[in-house]
Amino acid sequence: MSGNGAEARAAGVRVLLVDDEAAFLETLRKRLARRGLTAEIAMSGEEALDVLARAQEIDVVLLDVKMPGLSGIETLQRIKVAHPLVEVILLTGHATLEGAVDGMRLGAFDYLMKPCEMDDLLAKVFEAKARKTELEGRAAGGGGTP
Amino acid sequence: MFDRHYYKSLTRSMVLTVFLVSLTPLALVSAITSYQFHTSYKDRVNAHLRELVLKHKRNIDGFLAEKLAVIRVLADLIPESRFRDPAALQTILKSLQDRHHGAFVDMGLVDAHGVQVAYAGPLRLERARYAETRWFREAMRHELYVSDVFLGLRGSPHFIVAVRVRASGAEWILRATVDFESFNELVESVAVGQTGLAYIVNNQGEFQTRPRREAAVGPAEMRGILARASEGAGRGDFSPESAAAGIRMSQAAVALDVIHGSAGGGDVLLLTAPLKDGAWTLAYQQDEADAYESLYHARNLSLFAILGGGVGILLMAVLVSNRMVNRIVEADRERDMMNEQVIEAGKLASVGELAAGIAHEINNPLAIMLEEAGWVLDLLDDEHLRRHESHAEMVRALKQIRQQGGRCRDITHKLLSFARKIDPTVKPVQVNEIVRDMAALSDQRAHLANVRISVDLAPDLPEIPASPSELQQVLVNLINNAIDAMERGGELKVSTRLEGASVILDVADSGMGIPKANMARIFDPFYTTKPVGKGTGLGLSICYGIVRKMGGEISVDSVLNQGTVFHIRLPLEEARA
């Protein structure tokens, strides 16, 4: 089935889940792991930045917009400064498009409305990973060419 | 809500203020001018009366002086012996009567013993003895004498003019009787108005002429007045010379008294002037009401004018105040309506915020629940669990949970998209999209009301410039109204089509319809046929406002008990004023 193809693609995709809901994080991590993705979790924006600083190989960040402390948008800004190649997908409970549009302008790859379907989520993550790979390749190629 | 008494007292105070402010200067000016007019007019009337009395005083003094002078001239020129001859005396009398219009009645020569030695006249008075009479004694003491009026021997009122003559070694008195009637006429001719009355009194207050009516003052009172009037006035012998001097007298010689409460009832003006060097007094009386008649007439006229003006001002004040208070009532009512509108808008906003808050808070637990269900489904994928007899049932149940969770998510998302603040930003809008969204949002409610919603959308509809939020609001309002109009369920059809340069959006229901009587008012703010607390009466007026703002039109067709169609025409181009 397509599941096998997905799994094949999923191997090596490293995801960081950022949300203040522990139960949501844990379950989502398990489900992603079951589909072959390596998922780290962080309960806040600050923690997410710590994890990113430690584990350089994170490809995609799934970032909740509404969190106590550092908000999703602020976290996104800092991620983009410190790790410009890491792709960020916003998870929003708000239906206000303004928040999503702001996020997109700040460099988010896309946004998803909470609660979201697993299939939608996976599709977005793979797209993000693909773009990151493409950008990395271009960056490396660009670096090699005088 | 507003106190009737408040408006009543407001009206009252306004009426009072307008009335007083308008009337006070009027009354003040009237009072001042009428006082000025009053005094100056009285002065003028008084001066006129004084002048009149003075003139007549001169006339009467002149009359007396003339009579006296005539007798004196006769006494000077004609020898005493001629007077003793009755025939000659008769001739002289005849001449006097001819030249003086019958003023002289008779003539006589009286010797020092008071015996009339010669007489000419209508009576037989030869040898009459006057020795004991007062006039004779007075005449003997003075050179010239005019007596008081008395009845005398003949029984009719008359007075005597006498001159003392010295001849043949003895003193004689040449006397003539002056007819009272002609003298009376002279005095009576002094009359002004209805109540003017002139008469002559002597020092004792006895009448010297016969007044037509009763005098205002009795003899005793008159004596008092005379005593005051003659104070300081010299009391010499009356003579033509003194009369001539008297004629040059000023108005001051005339005294003016006001007699209160006379026999006639009202106040009476009494003017007195000394005659005959103070021996007589010319009195002239006139009722004040008569003398000042035109003054009182003017006063009454101005009082009437003030009264009429006051009534007019009062009417105007009442009219103006009522009109102004009505305006205020209207303005208050409008303000209340505005306040209500603001409150309603505030309520709607807070309800929207509440809905958004709830929807947002539900999303997180919903996400967790769906993830958990998904995780269990993932686990059930394991080989050894697949063999379990209840595996299929568990998968079915979990899928059901996931599906219903999905429905909840749809609802909260729709709720959020509706409840967010109305954004008036205009951008190109695909009407069909909004119609579909709103139809879907209302589907649950329609289902409960047993209403079937169908959409009939024209393909390839161009985008129009509009605010999506506002257009959503219009559609939600119209759809909700339509569902409310179908109490027993029915069909709700939303259709779009292109017509000329406009997009036409129709919302048709198969409900109860709108009665003709209500048709004109359905777009009025706060007009509602729904029970209290159910409808705000704002929905259609908001729709109307939004559509008009977009340069569009909204109209309605309705057939009672068959249904209602709202037509909205939205221009393709932005056509704002």
Side-chain angles (χ1 to χ4, degrees), chain A residues 79-137:
Chain A
I79 290 172
K80 278 291 157 187
V81 171
H83 315 281
L85 287 174
V86 172
E87 293 296 342
V88 179
I89 297 170
L90 292 173
L91 264 180
T92 171
H94 273 295
T96 47
L97 286 175
E98 286 77 8
V101 169
D102 282 350
M104 300 296 281
R105 206 173 292 137
L106 288 170
F109 175 73
D110 208 342
Y111 69 95
L112 281 167
M113 300 271 254
K114 249 167 64 166
C116 57
E117 291 286 337
M118 177 52 72
D119 293 345
D120 296 342
L121 180 70
L122 280 178
K124 283 269 177 349
V125 167
F126 291 148
E127 280 172 39
K129 166 67 181 165
R131 190 165 94 159
K132 184 180 181 244
T133 310
E134 188 194 342
L135 286 179
E136 272 171 349

Side-chain angles (χ1 to χ4, degrees), chain B residues 331-375:
Chain B
D332 283 351
R333 200 175 295 146
E334 258 169 45
R335 191 196 58 198
D336 287 351
M337 211 185 246
M338 291 288 281
N339 281 349
E340 259 173 59
Q341 208 163 339
V342 167
I343 290 167
E344 283 301 330
K347 265 190 210 164
L348 286 180
S350 47
V351 166
E353 266 169 42
L354 183 69
I358 289 172
H360 186 253
E361 288 311 313
I362 283 173
N363 272 348
N364 273 328
L366 204 57
I368 297 168
M369 282 156 63
L370 289 183
E371 284 313 320
E372 296 297 342
W375 175 235

Side-chain angles (χ1 to χ4, degrees), chain A residues 19-28 30-32 34-35 64 66 92-98 113-118 120-121, chain B residues 359-361 363-368 370-382 402 405-406 409 412-413 416-417 420 423:
Chain A
D19 201 320
D20 55 324
E21 296 274 356
F24 178 74
L25 276 186
E26 193 49 46
T27 310
L28 192 57
K30 283 189 278 187
R31 292 190 74 192
L32 288 176
R34 195 178 169 84
R35 284 163 177 79
D64 189 24
K66 202 181 170 220
T92 171
H94 273 295
T96 47
L97 286 175
E98 286 77 8
M113 300 271 254
K114 249 167 64 166
C116 57
E117 291 286 337
M118 177 52 72
D120 296 342
L121 180 70
Chain B
H360 186 253
E361 288 311 313
N363 272 348
N364 273 328
L366 204 57
I368 297 168
L370 289 183
E371 284 313 320
E372 296 297 342
W375 175 235
V376 176
L377 270 175
D378 288 350
L379 292 181
L380 284 177
D381 236 11
D382 282 356
R402 216 165 57 163
R409 182 193 55 196
T412 56
H413 282 179
L416 278 166
S417 77
R420 69 177 173 230
D423 176 10

Side-chain angles (χ1 to χ4, degrees), chain B residues 95-370:
Chain B
S95 165
L96 273 183
Q97 281 176 335
D98 286 352
R99 304 292 168 230
H100 290 271
H101 311 288
F104 289 100
V105 178
D106 61 8
M107 274 187 87
L109 189 67
V110 181
D111 67 14
H113 305 291
V115 178
Q116 186 158 254
V117 292
Y119 173 80
L123 301 163
R124 309 226 44 86
L125 289 174
E126 291 89 352
R127 312 311 300 174
R129 291 179 178 279
Y130 295 114
E132 298 308 312
T133 57
R134 194 166 147 256
W135 75 263
F136 178 73
R137 286 206 301 275
E138 290 287 322
M140 286 303 283
R141 285 204 289 124
H142 306 286
E143 197 191 343
L144 292 158
Y145 177 68
V146 178
S147 78
D148 280 358
V149 175
F150 59 101
L151 290 173
L153 295 173
R154 70 200 91 178
S156 81
H158 63 283
F159 66 90
I160 290 169
V161 182
V163 181
R164 197 174 59 195
V165 187
R166 195 174 290 274
S168 314
E171 285 194 326
W172 305 86
I173 302 279
L174 179 64
R175 59 159 278 275
T177 305
V178 177
D179 176 31
F180 178 76
E181 287 304 324
S182 64
F183 188 65
N184 200 36
E185 261 172 40
L186 184 69
V187 175
E188 280 206 341
S189 70
V190 187
V192 180
Q194 303 277 323
T195 61
L197 180 66
Y199 50 88
I200 295 172
V201 291
N202 66 8
N203 286 335
Q204 277 64 50
E206 292 157 358
F207 288 110
Q208 299 299 303
T209 57
R210 209 170 40 222
R212 280 165 303 170
R213 291 180 293 106
E214 201 190 333
V217 288
E221 205 176 336
M222 181 58 92
R223 266 200 297 281
I225 292 167
L226 295 182
R228 263 188 286 121
S230 63
E231 246 170 46
R235 191 69 70 85
D237 292 342
F238 182 69
S239 66
E241 293 76 24
S242 71
I247 283 170
R248 288 190 292 273
M249 287 170 85
S250 72
Q251 269 203 8
V254 180
L256 176 77
D257 290 274
V258 179
I259 313 299
H260 297 286
S262 71
D267 293 350
V268 172
L269 293 174
L270 181 69
L271 292 98
T272 52
L275 281 176
K276 232 176 92 180
D277 286 346
W280 288 357
T281 298
L282 172 64
Y284 175 82
Q285 68 169 59
Q286 189 172 11
D287 288 358
E288 246 193 346
D290 185 30
Y292 303 144
E293 191 193 359
S294 46
L295 172 66
Y296 293 140
H297 188 68
R299 191 188 60 191
N300 290 347
L301 211 65
S302 71
L303 272 177
F304 181 76
I306 290 173
L307 205 71
V311 169
I313 288 169
L314 190 66
L315 283 178
M316 270 307 291
V318 168
L319 205 74
V320 168
S321 304
N322 271 334
R323 198 170 288 174
M324 281 175 81
V325 168
N326 281 343
R327 284 266 170 84
I328 290 170
V329 170
E330 224 166 84
D332 283 351
R333 200 175 295 146
E334 258 169 45
R335 191 196 58 198
D336 287 351
M337 211 185 246
M338 291 288 281
N339 281 349
E340 259 173 59
Q341 208 163 339
V342 167
I343 290 167
E344 283 301 330
K347 265 190 210 164
L348 286 180
S350 47
V351 166
E353 266 169 42
L354 183 69
I358 289 172
H360 186 253
E361 288 311 313
I362 283 173
N363 272 348
N364 273 328
L366 204 57
I368 297 168
M369 282 156 63
L370 289 183

Side-chain angles (χ1 to χ4, degrees), chain B residues 384-413:
Chain B
H384 66 282
L385 286 174
R386 277 188 192 195
R387 272 173 274 143
H388 197 276
E389 55 184 10
S390 299
H391 178 264
E393 189 53 28
M394 281 193 278
V395 167
R396 191 204 59 77
L398 284 165
K399 279 189 172 159
Q400 185 66 266
I401 289 174
R402 216 165 57 163
Q403 195 184 332
Q404 298 308 322
R407 271 180 71 186
C408 288
R409 182 193 55 196
D410 286 351
I411 291 169
T412 56
H413 282 179

Side-chain angles (χ1 to χ4, degrees), chain A residues 3-21:
Chain A
N4 287 337
E7 236 164 272
R9 274 204 290 168
V13 178
R14 300 181 67 86
V15 182
L16 172 60
L17 305 174
V18 188
D19 201 320
D20 55 324
E21 296 274 356

